[in-house]
Amino acid sequence: MKALRQAVDPFGMLQACAGVQQAWMSRPAELAKQLGELSTQLAALQVQTLHRGMGLRDPDLIEPVRYDERFQDAVWYDNPFFDHLKEVYLLYTHWLQDVIESTPDVATQDAQKAGFLVRQVLNAVAPSNYFWTNPAAILKFLQTGGRSLVDGFANLLKDVQHGSIRMTDDSAFVVGENLATTPGAVVYRNELLEVIQYSPATDKVHPVPIVLVAPWINKYYILDLNPRKSLIHFLVKQGFTVFVTSWKNPGPDLSAITLDDYMLRGVLQAVEVAREVCAVPQVHLTGYCIGGTMVAALMAWLNRGGNGGGEMPVAHWSLFTTLVDFSEPGEIGVFIDEPTIEYLERRMAATGYLDGKDMADSFRALSSNSLVWHYFVHNYLLGEELPRFDVLFWNMDSTRMPQAMHSFYLRELYLNNRLVEKDGLTLGGRPIDLGAIRQPLYAVGAEQDHIAPWESTFRIGALVGGSVRYVLATSGHILGIINPPVDPPRRRYWAGAVENGAGAAEWRAGVAKVPGSWWDDWIEWLRPQCGEPGSPPALGGAAKRQLCAAPGSYVLER
């Protein structure tokens, strides 16, 4: 029976829904009160619909959130039928989610799981997802003489062949041709990563190089999409020598690779390569997402015992949308508990890794309206051509996770939150203490990040011993970071020192919101700490040779 339950409900979401249902059924009086409130709202909605039918303009009983693109078309407000359809859907959606969230005597994790599953169902049954209840689809059908549905069916057949609802035309992009084109060379390679050094774009460069640690949950070229969006290109143009980690896409042969390996044979190795090539004692180390988590662990490891001989190879460091305190990991927390991790461990034991498609599907489910149903509607109901969007191409170019590393990462960081405990985690033979870190830190969070909530990333300021400048960018986990300066400015950010143990809300209230890109603010923070510009080092320097041109070979592995 247990095996059957695990096969049918591996994440325990159906069981959580049953628990929520039982909790309410055991309290009939409280349930009757909730149903009474629903009935009152339904009655008010009937009055609103009657008034709309008479041509009156009563305000909507429930307004869609402003960024919900499903109901932006004016017909959802002007046409009484579609307005009523929208309002009924939103009323039941809000009521169900509120009731689940307020379920008495149910564990928070169970309520979150039930809420997540119900939210997936509610997103799927939205009227905008069906032809006869989507006014835009009906209108386009009439305008095109039915061609839109013919094209939509052709898109459906292609997606069935592809095995997923595609988000972008992947034939439009080729890594190394119109993505990841900043000139450079691979100057180091081991079984875990390639280290790429980029060619100088200025006559003089700052002597302290920048080492970018990309997340190995995706490929590094999110930092080098095209010259306009590339953070790497931007840094090189500003007079910095830049190195980046390009991680191996692991197969069964790397199943035993550990988090220690990623830290010492990956991140630390990249630091050592940069020091050797540039012939300098220290670097600036930067980590993005899970790469930043590993950077934080390495900084604690180095401050605990130095780098063999006691020297500190990192002068200062930066983190982008990085969790080190996993107590509130955002929406992904619905997948973090013992039964779920056991299920994933069984999956990984069979292959030696967690498949990249599993990761991609999980992250799409976290934002299913924007990452699933948006494309369902535009691909099939409207029959539109797939957009050519480089970020979406990168998002679908997923990578695998080695069994040993990923199991340890999920258990010790997400589930047990050991990284924030003093000496609670041992990596590379040393207990990890974030409080031992003394080097200046520049940390960036993103206001709408659902993968690494900014309030959680902000906590790094209270955990380390050095000075911290925190920046909060508008937008989300990706576009909050891939945020090039443009004129006129499209984005905004808050920036300021983290002092006196201030909380996230208190800090934001005390700093100004600035128009523009935080990239410029970062450059101003980096320049005085990275030394007076001088002659740039050659690719590979005197210590390494060029193995191949950027973007290298590991990034091309599927």
Side-chain angles (χ1 to χ4, degrees), residues 57-281:
R57 295 295 298 178
D58 286 6
D60 274 341
L61 183 67
I62 301 177
E63 288 281 354
V65 293
R66 61 182 178 85
Y67 53 83
D68 187 348
E69 66 170 30
R70 297 174 298 177
F71 305 113
Q72 295 302 312
D73 196 307
V75 72
W76 289 106
Y77 303 86
D78 297 338
N79 182 287
F81 169 75
F82 286 111
D83 178 71
H84 180 72
L85 196 62
K86 172 200 68 181
E87 289 294 287
V88 169
Y89 170 74
L90 291 176
L91 174 58
Y92 277 105
T93 295
H94 289 198
W95 182 82
L96 270 171
Q97 293 184 113
D98 289 345
V99 166
I100 291 172
E101 187 175 327
S102 61
T103 304
D105 299 329
V106 166
T108 301
Q109 179 75 6
D110 287 341
Q112 290 174 344
K113 285 192 173 191
F116 178 84
L117 182 59
V118 169
R119 190 159 56 251
Q120 300 309 304
V121 174
L122 291 170
N123 289 345
V125 301
S128 54
N129 294 339
Y130 302 90
F131 177 77
W132 289 112
T133 53
N134 185 316
I138 296 170
L139 179 61
K140 189 165 185 181
F141 176 84
L142 296 174
Q143 290 174 335
T144 62
R147 183 70 197 180
S148 59
L149 281 190
V150 174
D151 292 341
F153 185 69
N155 287 340
L156 173 62
L157 293 179
K158 291 177 183 177
D159 285 358
V160 168
Q161 201 170 31
H162 187 268
S164 68
I165 300 175
R166 292 173 300 155
M167 297 191 291
T168 189
D169 180 3
D170 54 13
S171 67
F173 300 102
V174 179
V175 176
E177 293 185 13
N178 57 0
L179 296 173
T181 59
T182 301
V186 174
V187 296
Y188 177 84
R189 179 188 294 125
N190 64 21
E191 72 277 20
L192 198 54
L193 87 165
E194 291 178 334
V195 179
I196 301 172
Q197 179 190 358
Y198 290 91
S199 303
T202 54
D203 293 334
K204 293 186 176 182
V205 300
H206 294 277
V208 176
I210 296 175
V211 178
L212 297 172
V213 179
W216 55 87
I217 200 170
N218 286 102
K219 296 184 178 179
Y220 87 88
Y221 64 87
I222 188 61
L223 301 171
D224 189 29
L225 288 170
N226 62 49
R228 186 177 65 84
K229 295 179 181 177
S230 170
L231 178 59
I232 289 171
H233 179 77
F234 177 78
L235 289 170
V236 170
K237 293 287 286 186
Q238 296 297 317
F240 291 93
T241 300
V242 179
F243 296 80
V244 72
T245 59
S246 178
W247 299 97
K248 175 83 172 173
N249 194 1
D253 56 318
L254 295 181
S255 64
I257 289 289
T258 65
L259 202 64
D260 298 54
D261 294 320
Y262 272 89
M263 184 178 77
L264 300 179
R265 294 159 59 194
V267 181
L268 182 59
Q269 185 62 62
V271 169
E272 291 305 312
V273 168
R275 292 173 69 205
E276 291 179 38
V277 169
C278 297
V280 294

Side-chain angles (χ1 to χ4, degrees), residues 22-38:
Q22 290 170 6
W24 280 111
M25 294 301 290
S26 65
R27 293 167 178 78
E30 295 178 43
L31 178 58
K33 181 180 178 182
Q34 294 287 348
L35 290 170
E37 292 176 2
L38 175 62

